[in-house]
Amino acid sequence: MAAGGSAIRGSRVGAGPMGEQDHGFHADRVAVSYWDILGNETIRHFSASLPDEEIPETIDSPSSGLPAGRNQANPPEVAKLEPYKTHLAYVKERRTEEEAEALLDEALQQLRARRGTASAQ
């Protein structure tokens, strides 16, 4: 014989009173369709009392992970990603020696000026 919790034989664990949606007292909803660039449609439901300005224009499509918009004829474009930069590309972007020296001199002057104002107080 198994002894256990206080559940009555034949009852579901966690069973409780029916929710509002089972009684028919749920809020009115509006279905809004979103399309991604691949043509996938996603339907989201929003409260009918929600103003149209608060319904988002774009969402992320769950089927493709791409941005989806409310305009079927003109869905949002996929974001352009920059290609991976190699070390050589970063080396080519470095400043010239003259620019580097000018920046260093400017930084040193600012530090000396701060040091001078701090010691004067």
Side-chain angles (χ1 to χ4, degrees):
M1 185 160 152
S6 61
I8 300 170
R9 173 182 266 181
S11 68
R12 293 182 302 137
V13 175
M18 293 192 307
E20 288 182 2
Q21 67 272 12
D22 298 326
H23 290 292
F25 297 126
H26 60 283
D28 291 331
R29 299 266 177 207
V30 174
V32 178
S33 295
Y34 293 90
W35 289 272
D36 65 9
I37 200 155
L38 301 176
N40 298 321
E41 180 183 11
T42 302
I43 299 175
R44 297 288 167 124
H45 297 277
F46 297 95
S47 173
S49 63
L50 193 66
D52 196 40
E53 304 87 44
E54 293 187 22
I55 297 176
E57 287 295 320
T58 60
I59 61 167
D60 288 335
S61 174
S63 57
S64 63
L66 300 171
R70 294 170 71 177
N71 186 354
Q72 183 179 7
N74 192 15
E77 292 288 324
V78 179
K80 301 276 190 267
L81 298 176
E82 289 195 23
Y84 174 77
K85 283 188 179 181
T86 62
H87 176 70
L88 208 53
Y90 283 110
V91 169
K92 288 180 182 176
E93 288 180 1
R94 286 187 184 161
R95 294 177 170 34
T96 63
E97 290 297 321
E98 295 81 23
E99 290 176 323
E101 286 178 18
L103 282 173
L104 181 61
D105 288 339
E106 182 182 339
L108 286 172
Q109 288 173 4
Q110 288 178 356
L111 283 173
R112 288 181 184 132
R114 285 186 195 159
R115 213 182 264 172
T117 57
S119 62
Q121 294 176 355

